[in-house]
Amino acid sequence: MFDNFLIRKDSLKNVVEDGKVVGFKLGVRIADYRGQILSLHNGYYIKVDGVVYPREVQKFEINGKPPRTFEELKTCYYEHWNYDDEGTLYVEKEGGLEPGVHIIEFQQSILNAYGYRPTDEEWVKNPPVPGSGAGAGKTSNIVTYEIELTE
Amino acid sequence: MGIKRGVSLYSYQQEQFFKRMDLRAQIKEVRESLNTDGIEIIDQQTIRDYPNPSDEFVDNWHALMDEFNMKAVTMDVYMDVLQFRDHVMTHDECAERLIGDIKLAARLGFENVRCLSAVPLDVMIKALPTAEKYNVRMGKEIHAPNPIDGKLVSEIVEYVDKTNTKFIGLVPDMGVFQFLPNNPSLEWSMRHGASREAVEIVKKACLMKKNEDEARQMILEGIQNPTDADLSLAFQVHMLSYSNPADIEKLVPYIVSIHGKFYEMTEIEGKPGQYEDKSINYADTIAALKKGGFEGYINSEYEGQRYQQDRGMEYLADEVEEVRRHHEMLARLIGE
């Protein structure tokens, strides 16, 4: 669900720190019909122009706090990503992305549930790698976007 | 008295997502366009900063409900068993979340909470003293593919008969009376690689009450070189519970409220201004509920929008219109 609307189309920008471009960021929404407990947020499958950027180089910004790694989010048991709020996904990439249109393949992974499942114990030990459809909620297909880097 | 109409604000999830309707606009629509008072919510959709909303949010909620003279019927609550990430939640921890949700429901003035189908009965029993104390009933959702005459229902009925508690019951979802895959999801599948032939075969399989494997076999036999998209349609059959509407009559005393699930309201041929969902048997179900003397709420739960979000904004479903049509049908079948 919300297949075509999970990334805000004019949100792709490079991230500059101390005068150096260190990566890029984009505005993302929840691929479900309810807000999410932040601890369950397990990262993104994000492939830009053929290159996959794994969860380890991603950070997530929400609720007015500085961007946090997905390891840090794991302990946010009672913090909520409200349903209609946009979060910002940061991806580390030296030099950032070139200006112009990029092909972004995208899937969110949030380990929410409707109850106990056979995968529970395994996902505690080894959380699924985003992109497999595991934890992809109501949008289990990888969605492809064409998005222009604006600054 | 008689059956009452309400709306789960779930129905307006897309309007909320695109910030076209805020909470006030949603409640106003139910009161002024649908001329009714029943409100159901998804806790984590409507409540900002769940599980600890601000006093400001709660005050605003009550002000809106008072302004439009609404009734907070049911709050739908969840059970994310991996919430603590370093272990799977125990039943005690699940009960703790449910207890918190019951207190939150009471703070917002709700009469009931809806527990998911998958919530073990002993978790609900652990929360029972809190439900009694706060005067909030717990209803277990009976959702497809679970049938209306299966174990999920019988274990609740047996427990209630044994204990006479008023605080545990059922929230049947009208999707258990679905007999065909919904059209918006079939259209989605066809935009994503399924053939019309495969869709027709699957519809036929449903009308013949086949199971998933049998439907898959029918696709394999009916189509040369079926695609994965063709074969995955068989899952649509898995999601149907083929329940008999007449079976709900005897469950009326146990029903807390009902989810009026629907996917697409289309005009009935030859009856201008009258609508139906072609995939769900509302007529026989409402007749059975009336026969059983049901006087609770059926709350619209529109779910067709999610299959129409894979293209541009111009193709999005009109949630407001769909719910209005649903209430035309409900009012007519209830006999208001």
Side-chain angles (χ1 to χ4, degrees):
Chain A
M1 65 191 292
F2 298 127
D3 318 32
N4 255 11
F5 306 97
L6 298 173
I7 303 176
R8 180 161 53 83
K9 297 283 158 51
D10 58 355
S11 67
L12 181 62
K13 293 176 172 42
N14 279 326
V15 178
V16 181
E17 267 175 27
D18 302 327
K20 262 175 46 190
V21 178
V22 296
F24 58 92
K25 64 176 180 177
L26 61 178
V28 299
R29 296 291 299 272
I30 294 171
D32 207 317
Y33 61 79
R34 60 175 168 134
Q36 300 293 332
I37 301 280
L38 219 42
S39 60
L40 297 163
H41 200 176
N42 181 50
Y44 292 82
Y45 174 80
I46 178 164
K47 188 174 178 183
V48 183
D49 305 326
V51 179
V52 174
Y53 296 90
R55 178 170 51 200
E56 289 68 31
V57 299
Q58 301 170 10
K59 284 185 182 173
F60 186 70
E61 182 181 34
I62 192 73
N63 296 338
K65 297 183 182 170
R68 286 172 275 183
T69 66
F70 285 93
E71 275 307 304
E72 290 172 308
L73 292 180
K74 267 185 171 180
T75 54
C76 301
Y77 306 137
Y78 301 104
E79 188 177 338
H80 202 230
W81 179 5
N82 290 313
Y83 173 66
D84 35 22
D85 283 355
E86 180 181 287
T88 305
L89 174 62
Y90 285 76
V91 179
E92 273 175 48
K93 180 188 189 294
E94 233 174 273
L97 297 174
E98 295 294 316
V101 175
H102 297 274
I103 306 293
I104 300 184
E105 291 158 74
F106 183 86
Q107 186 176 73
Q108 189 173 66
S109 178
I110 296 181
L111 307 180
N112 64 17
Y114 285 104
Y116 293 107
R117 284 189 297 211
T119 48
D120 289 341
E121 293 293 347
E122 175 60 23
W123 285 8
V124 167
K125 281 181 256 148
N126 298 302
V129 175
S132 62
K138 304 287 178 211
T139 313
S140 54
N141 48 316
I142 289 172
V143 183
T144 303
Y145 296 79
E146 281 185 32
I147 294 188
E148 190 174 357
L149 182 92
T150 51
E151 55 184 77
Chain B
M1 292 295 276
I3 299 174
K4 304 181 192 80
R5 294 181 288 117
V7 176
S8 170
L9 301 183
Y10 176 94
S11 303
Y12 303 128
Q13 54 181 265
Q14 179 177 275
E15 290 300 305
Q16 188 180 338
F17 183 96
F18 290 112
K19 301 187 195 303
R20 299 192 292 208
M21 278 172 97
D22 60 10
L23 183 56
R24 184 172 204 283
Q26 295 174 30
I27 291 173
K28 188 169 189 274
E29 165 67 16
V30 177
R31 165 52 73 199
E32 294 184 355
S33 297
L34 308 176
N35 194 25
T36 193
D37 65 353
I39 294 289
E40 176 157 348
I41 65 167
I42 303 291
D43 55 2
Q44 290 181 271
Q45 181 190 330
T46 294
I47 304 171
R48 281 195 76 79
D49 303 325
Y50 169 93
N52 299 306
S54 64
D55 289 338
E56 188 193 347
F57 175 88
V58 176
D59 291 346
N60 181 52
W61 164 264
H62 285 295
L64 285 173
M65 295 295 277
D66 289 347
E67 179 185 349
F68 293 102
N69 194 20
M70 305 305 271
K71 195 175 181 88
V73 181
T74 300
M75 177 170 117
D76 296 14
V77 304
Y78 289 80
M79 190 175 87
D80 292 310
V81 296
L82 295 180
Q83 186 171 347
F84 301 116
R85 293 303 301 274
D86 59 353
H87 68 280
V88 182
M89 269 160 86
T90 62
H91 285 204
D92 279 342
E93 287 171 316
C94 291
E96 221 169 286
R97 177 158 169 177
L98 176 53
I99 285 168
D101 290 340
I102 289 169
K103 291 178 183 171
L104 181 52
R107 193 173 160 209
L108 296 173
F110 279 94
E111 292 183 341
N112 316 301
V113 293
R114 180 292 321 253
C115 301
L116 295 159
S117 294
V119 175
L121 179 56
D122 72 274
V123 170
M124 294 170 75
I125 294 171
K126 285 177 205 288
L128 191 51
T130 309
E132 288 167 352
K133 182 175 167 197
Y134 286 85
N135 198 26
V136 173
R137 297 173 77 194
M138 295 179 278
K140 184 185 261 200
E141 183 168 8
I142 307 304
H143 192 287
N146 296 296
I148 198 71
D149 59 350
K151 185 172 169 287
L152 275 191
V153 171
S154 62
E155 72 172 9
I156 296 280
V157 166
E158 281 161 26
Y159 183 80
V160 172
D161 286 349
K162 194 175 75 190
T163 61
N164 281 319
T165 180
K166 283 192 315 189
F167 289 93
I168 288 182
L170 303 168
V171 176
D173 181 296
M174 285 297 299
V176 299
F177 303 111
Q178 187 173 341
F179 56 92
L180 274 176
N182 72 79
N183 192 53
S185 75
L186 294 175
E187 295 282 343
W188 188 96
S189 295
M190 285 193 282
R191 287 195 298 279
H192 294 262
S195 62
R196 186 164 291 280
E197 294 70 33
V199 162
E200 291 308 322
I201 290 171
V202 166
K203 281 167 127 174
K204 198 168 129 194
C206 291
L207 293 173
M208 294 163 72
K209 296 196 168 43
K210 298 291 190 189
N211 65 30
E212 185 177 358
D213 288 342
E214 291 165 338
R216 201 180 162 84
Q217 197 55 41
M218 284 171 69
I219 297 169
L220 283 166
E221 283 165 11
I223 293 181
Q224 272 194 331
N225 306 317
T227 63
D228 285 348
D230 287 331
L231 290 168
S232 66
L233 284 171
F235 185 70
Q236 294 265 10
V237 181
H238 167 76
M239 283 311 293
L240 299 187
S241 56
Y242 297 131
S243 292
N244 179 4
D247 287 342
I248 204 167
E249 182 189 338
K250 61 180 184 301
L251 296 175
V252 163
Y254 307 92
I255 296 176
V256 166
S257 62
I258 295 177
H259 278 177
K261 168 71 51 63
F262 71 103
Y263 301 98
E264 185 177 59
M265 300 304 292
T266 49
E267 201 168 64
I268 303 171
E269 214 177 310
K271 300 201 169 162
Q274 295 193 4
Y275 299 92
E276 63 182 347
D277 187 307
K278 284 198 159 70
S279 66
I280 301 174
N281 187 345
Y282 268 86
D284 290 340
T285 307
I286 290 181
L289 287 167
K290 279 159 77 173
K291 225 169 136 193
F294 182 59
E295 296 189 332
Y297 280 85
I298 301 179
N299 294 325
S300 299
E301 197 186 56
Y302 173 52
E303 194 170 291
Q305 69 280 70
R306 68 166 64 161
Y307 307 106
Q308 302 174 66
Q309 296 164 335
D310 55 325
R311 296 187 285 175
M313 296 289 284
E314 67 274 29
Y315 293 102
L316 293 178
D318 185 342
E319 291 175 328
V320 169
E321 174 62 17
E322 289 286 344
V323 177
R324 288 179 186 176
R325 292 178 177 192
H326 192 240
H327 277 252
E328 179 283 317
M329 179 193 73
L330 289 179
R332 176 167 42 82
L333 295 178
I334 289 167
E336 282 183 14

